[in-house]
């Protein structure tokens, strides 16, 4: 039952014509909602593309590496330190240590 549309009141008018009208109205409303949602998605994509052209960066800015990261990274890569111990030394989770190691290796090569 739709409170503000008596045409869609399913408690009464259960005959064939009432059901038919209810189905048609629901189909039209669902089409309008789906169409509006696709328009919103398109406008959102256009806005994101325009922002990227302007140089806007999305997401939270990365935290700077700790002072002791280079030392812990070198010892971790040489096998003198486990990944968990290196992460604990740097004050970050192991997954973050590994993630930051990938970007660290890329910038080190450049």
């Amino acid at each position: 039952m739709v409170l503000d549309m008596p045409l869609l009141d399913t408690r009464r008018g259960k005959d064939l014509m009432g059901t038919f009208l209810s189905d048609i109205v629901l189909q039209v409303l669902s089409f309008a909602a789906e169409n509006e949602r696709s328009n919103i998605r398109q406008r959102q994509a256009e806005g994101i593309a325009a922002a990227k052209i302007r140089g806007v960066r999305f997401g939270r800015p990365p935290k700077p590496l700790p002072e002791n990261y280079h030392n812990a990274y070198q010892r971790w890569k040489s096998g003198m330190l486990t990944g968990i111990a290196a992460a604990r030394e740097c004050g970050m989770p192991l997954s973050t240590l590994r993630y930051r190691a990938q970007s660290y290796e890329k910038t080190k090569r450049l």
Side-chain angles (χ1 to χ4, degrees), residues 25-40:
V25 171
L26 283 174
Q27 288 294 323
V28 169
L29 290 175
S30 69
F31 169 77
E34 187 175 335
N35 194 26
E36 180 60 26
R37 184 64 190 134
S38 70
N39 289 340
I40 290 171

Side-chain angles (χ1 to χ4, degrees), residues 69-81 104 108:
Y69 183 81
H70 179 72
N71 185 18
Y73 172 80
Q74 294 298 330
R75 293 188 303 154
W76 172 50
K77 281 299 184 179
S78 68
M80 295 171 48
L81 199 61
Y104 183 73
K108 201 169 71 169

